[in-house]
Amino acid sequence: MAGRNGRTVRDLRRANRTVVLQRLYFDGPLSRFELGPVTGLSSGSVSNVVADLVTDGLIEEAGSVDSDGGRPRTLLRVAPASGHMIGVDVGETRVRVELFDLALTELARTERPLTPHRYDVEVIAGHIRHGISEVLADTGIAPERLLGVGIGVPGIVEHTADRGAVVHGQTIGWDAVPLEALLRAGSQLPDAVPYFIDNGAKTLGQAEMWFGGGRGARNAVVALFGSGVGACLVTPEVEHGRAVEWGHLTVRVRGRRCRCGALGCLEAYAGAGSLIDRWREAGGRSPEDTDEETGLTALLAAAHPIEGTAADPVALAVLEETAEYLGAGLSDLINLFQPERILIGGWAGLQLGARFLPAVRRHAASYALRHPAEKVTIEMGRLGPDAVTVGAAILPLADFFARGGRRAEPEPAGPAPAWRAAVRGRAPR
């Protein structure tokens, strides 16, 4: 039966379960007495919801605390073993697959290296499928126990009714790739296990906002630096974040050609591959035939060598110029979105930021409008190189919470969805 606001009793029960689960997850362990004020529910509602969640195995006792003159109060927490998620990071140098319990404790991981510029769709899909099978086999967890598989990818992700998640990755040569359909077509996972595919910068932002440097901020931008450059915007209107193609903002008219084909993009100056190319073009001693991570490490070592060794002036000049480009790019984010915080992550961002963050802050302040620049803090992300994978695993976890701790419904019997039938037995183009 629906109430005056259109919500049914089932909707209300789901919402109550969601708020109790979330408060225990982020603030627990908590007693039933403490859950009332933090959830806004009556003591009777709290008791009913807790009883349901205990019966479902989603929450468990976690000790007790003394009360004021009464019996000790039992503490409750979300049961870590009550659900499992897989997070996948389709990165520039490797595909990383990790299996987590409900507390986001890593239980298993595997990595598949990628040769430079090797983004063959079937290769990537195969790495994901095999990685999922491997982490499940390593832990003995049955596939049907998964809450879902979250995947962070480069590019724009479009969610369609007929083909599932479709990836538009111009810089890696993916033109409307139906990645979800391809994974489903060759997957050993049950149909009821959902895939959640989104931009890697957004999954990075999701992780930092839940568990890292973004906690407590209402307006934040999380920037990702790797081979490419991206960002995730989080505001009260965009609670779970929105990926923005910040790396393809023009920072120099008639500048260097970017991987996307345009001229003067920020990524053409601040992406890891572009940095190494600029060092080499300027006459630097760049090592040949190395991957981007090794090349960036060599560039940083040349600019800041061990004590007693002279710095490479070319490497230092390239990095100092890059700090100015980064600051100018961040100033655009500051002027456009006026965030409270900007966090820098990604494997290249973590290496660069550790040494050039003061210079980046200085340039950002000099290019941005004074008022928003005075209100923003620019810091490093706190979750390290695994942040994209953690954020990808959060996608099915967030969906699980939104359902009130209920698993996704299996598809009804009948003909296979059009997007699955369309790709079954066909190789991707």
Side-chain angles (χ1 to χ4, degrees):
M1 179 177 178
R4 292 181 180 179
N5 60 2
R7 299 180 74 191
T8 65
V9 172
R10 183 178 180 182
D11 293 334
L12 181 61
R13 186 176 296 127
R14 180 175 60 245
N16 289 349
R17 284 169 61 101
T18 293
V19 71
V20 169
L21 277 172
Q22 288 179 329
R23 291 284 58 81
L24 286 175
Y25 193 82
F26 291 109
D27 303 325
L30 297 170
S31 67
R32 290 171 176 82
F33 178 79
E34 293 171 311
L35 278 169
V38 298
T39 61
L41 300 178
S42 68
S43 59
S45 294
V46 168
S47 294
N48 290 336
V49 171
V50 166
D52 284 347
L53 294 173
V54 169
T55 299
D56 291 346
L58 293 178
I59 62 177
E60 62 188 14
E61 294 186 0
S64 61
V65 292
D66 293 334
S67 61
D68 296 332
R71 296 170 54 189
R73 294 191 178 116
T74 300
L75 294 175
L76 302 167
R77 68 175 183 180
V78 173
S82 59
H84 299 85
M85 303 82 64
I86 286 177
V88 180
D89 175 13
V90 178
E92 292 96 358
T93 59
R94 63 179 60 85
V95 173
R96 177 181 291 134
V97 181
E98 298 183 45
L99 174 67
F100 302 89
D101 65 15
L102 207 63
L104 280 174
T105 300
E106 182 190 307
L107 303 180
R109 74 155 61 196
T110 185
E111 295 185 353
R112 298 289 198 279
L114 298 176
T115 55
H117 312 297
R118 183 67 172 170
Y119 281 101
D120 181 84
V121 176
E122 187 53 46
V123 169
I124 298 293
H127 285 335
I128 295 172
R129 294 190 206 103
H130 296 150
I132 291 171
S133 298
E134 186 174 328
V135 295
L136 289 173
D138 287 347
T139 56
I141 291 172
E144 57 269 17
R145 291 178 58 189
L146 290 175
L147 301 180
V149 177
I151 305 172
V153 297
I156 298 169
V157 180
E158 177 185 14
H159 298 277
T160 69
D162 58 339
R163 295 194 294 171
V166 175
V167 183
H168 303 269
Q170 186 169 327
T171 60
I172 61 173
W174 285 15
D175 182 14
V177 170
L179 183 60
E180 181 177 355
L182 295 172
L183 292 172
R184 283 285 184 200
S187 175
Q188 300 302 310
L189 295 181
D191 288 347
V193 176
Y195 286 91
F196 299 85
I197 301 173
D198 221 319
N199 178 272
K202 179 177 176 180
T203 68
L204 170 68
Q206 183 98 51
E208 289 288 351
M209 295 304 293
W210 275 41
F211 300 110
R215 287 202 69 176
R218 285 171 52 81
N219 300 275
V221 173
V222 183
L224 183 153
F225 294 94
S227 293
V229 176
C232 174
L233 169 69
V234 180
T235 68
E237 295 78 24
V238 192
E239 181 183 358
H240 297 295
R242 184 182 75 222
V244 291
E245 292 293 334
W246 175 53
H248 302 289
L249 175 148
T250 302
V251 294
R252 187 166 181 173
V253 176
R254 293 187 294 276
R256 292 174 55 85
R257 188 167 297 280
C258 179
R259 295 189 301 171
C260 73
L263 297 176
C265 295
L266 176 62
E267 185 173 300
Y269 295 90
S274 299
L275 260 172
I276 298 164
D277 289 343
R278 288 169 54 217
W279 182 30
R280 186 179 297 118
E281 291 164 8
R285 302 186 301 273
S286 172
E288 299 291 338
D289 299 324
T290 59
D291 60 44
E292 290 178 350
E293 293 190 31
T294 303
L296 184 58
T297 300
L299 171 58
L300 290 166
H304 295 276
I306 59 175
E307 189 174 349
T309 306
D312 177 354
V314 176
L316 192 58
V318 167
L319 289 171
E320 288 176 345
E321 183 184 46
T322 301
E324 184 168 4
Y325 278 117
L326 291 179
L330 291 178
S331 75
D332 290 318
L333 295 176
I334 293 169
N335 291 342
L336 286 169
F337 304 118
Q338 301 179 29
E340 300 168 44
R341 301 178 199 171
I342 293 176
L343 301 171
I344 296 175
W347 66 266
L350 294 173
Q351 290 192 54
L352 291 168
R355 302 187 186 185
F356 289 91
L357 189 57
V360 170
R361 287 180 180 139
R362 186 173 65 254
H363 289 303
S366 69
Y367 282 103
L369 293 170
R370 183 172 62 255
H371 181 69
E374 289 173 347
K375 293 181 175 294
V376 69
T377 60
I378 302 174
E379 304 290 345
M380 299 302 299
R382 298 180 184 173
L383 298 181
D386 286 347
V388 172
T389 318
V390 172
I394 288 175
L395 299 177
L397 178 60
D399 178 76
F400 182 64
F401 283 161
R403 294 174 182 272
R406 305 289 189 192
R407 293 175 180 269
E409 299 280 338
E411 291 181 355
W419 57 261
R420 187 178 305 146
V423 299
R424 183 165 285 151
R426 284 171 43 191
R429 294 182 179 180

